[in-house]
Amino acid sequence: MALVLENGRRQFDYWLTVYKRTWKGTLISSFLLPLLYLAAMGIGLGSFVDRNGTGALGGVSYLQFIAPGLLASTALQVAVGESTYPVMSGLKWQKFFHSMIASPLRPVDVVAGQFGFIAFRVGSTCAVFLVVIALFGGLSSPLGVLALPVALLVGMAAAAPVAAVATTLENDSGFAMIFRFGVIPAFLFSGAFFPVSQLPNWIEWLAYLSPLWHGVTLSRDLAMGTINPPLALLNVVYLLAWFAVGTWFAVRGFTKRLVG
């Protein structure tokens, strides 16, 4: 484990060096779009929702209701973006992962470094977004700051299985399926914009299977200060399970593609 962490740290240095040259290209997708969602939905649409009462939202404003959900959703979208095309690029197009394996690094070390950088991207993006949410008045409890590690966990719970899937693909056409039938439905039906209890029963139960729903629920409970310890524990365990299983398959996929 110590060797994996040390080699992963070295890989993280590589990814950080690369990101220093490309970070400007991520400003719109990582920072501007979430802020526009917050302004349009939380402030614009929220002003109309609040006029009709907030009883269905737990007595909080619509901005305070959706802000934690947007934070968790942003984490998922950033994580998926960093675990699709970058992974395929390293395996098929630029093949820099093959160069890494030519050194003493092992596939598990490559995965550790890749996931470390994804965690950095998710954490840094969500940290900025959380500050903006706080400035907009989107947090009604000091516990809301704990939504940041929750967002990080959501991101890694999504990144690991998506990276595992990316190792099995021969071209990027499969990513369209991930975004259309995975990311977008999860974003819309995770409870970020409205309680999933308003959905038909069969869709409601599908929402509960999504890791994003667990992240949204936990982030919102922390932001509102209405944390339910048993439910919070279930949320965390569920997200950790996604990350653990996804990591196992990701290491297996990288090993198959890089070593054979």
Side-chain angles (χ1 to χ4, degrees):
M1 178 60 70
L3 180 60
V4 172
L5 292 176
E6 175 60 23
N7 288 335
R9 182 191 64 78
R10 294 174 180 175
Q11 291 298 298
F12 177 78
D13 290 341
Y14 162 77
W15 284 110
L16 195 59
T17 300
V18 173
Y19 187 62
K20 288 178 180 178
R21 303 173 181 174
T22 61
W23 66 272
K24 293 181 180 179
T26 66
L27 290 179
I28 294 179
S29 61
S30 298
F31 299 101
L32 183 58
L33 289 181
L35 296 182
L36 291 178
Y37 266 112
L38 183 65
M41 303 296 291
I43 300 176
L45 178 62
S47 62
F48 294 99
V49 174
D50 294 343
R51 290 176 188 174
N52 295 319
T54 59
L57 304 178
V60 299
S61 68
Y62 191 62
L63 171 64
Q64 293 173 328
F65 180 82
I66 71 166
L70 287 176
L71 180 68
S73 300
T74 298
L76 180 136
Q77 293 182 56
V78 171
V80 172
E82 293 293 340
S83 54
T84 48
Y85 288 97
V87 171
M88 178 164 285
S89 178
L91 291 173
K92 185 175 179 64
W93 300 325
Q94 296 180 313
K95 295 187 175 182
F96 47 77
F97 288 140
H98 293 78
S99 301
M100 296 176 183
I101 290 298
S103 71
L105 294 175
R106 302 163 299 172
V108 65
D109 301 321
V110 174
V111 172
Q114 181 75 18
F115 284 3
F117 176 70
I118 293 174
F120 164 76
R121 286 278 291 113
V122 172
S124 58
T125 300
C126 290
V128 174
F129 193 33
L130 184 61
V131 171
V132 174
I133 289 174
L135 294 176
F136 273 72
L139 301 180
S140 54
S141 169
L143 291 176
V145 298
L146 297 178
L148 180 58
V150 172
L152 180 59
L153 183 55
V154 171
M156 300 316 297
V162 170
V165 172
T167 65
T168 67
L169 301 177
E170 292 300 327
N171 58 68
D172 60 348
S173 61
F175 295 153
M177 302 292 288
I178 292 176
F179 284 100
R180 290 175 184 173
F181 300 105
V183 175
I184 294 178
F187 179 61
L188 295 177
F189 302 111
S190 63
F193 299 104
F194 55 87
V196 296
S197 58
Q198 298 179 3
L199 295 170
N201 289 336
W202 66 275
I203 300 181
E204 180 182 350
W205 283 104
L206 287 177
Y208 294 148
L209 297 177
S210 167
L212 183 56
W213 178 85
H214 291 266
V216 168
T217 299
L218 184 53
S219 297
R220 180 173 292 134
D221 287 345
L222 289 168
M224 294 182 179
T226 57
I227 194 71
N228 182 335
L231 179 58
L233 179 61
L234 174 63
N235 298 147
V236 171
V237 170
Y238 191 77
L239 292 172
L240 286 174
W242 271 76
F243 176 56
V245 174
T247 298
W248 186 86
F249 278 106
V251 171
R252 183 180 179 184
F254 269 80
T255 302
K256 184 177 180 180
R257 291 293 294 267
L258 297 176
V259 179

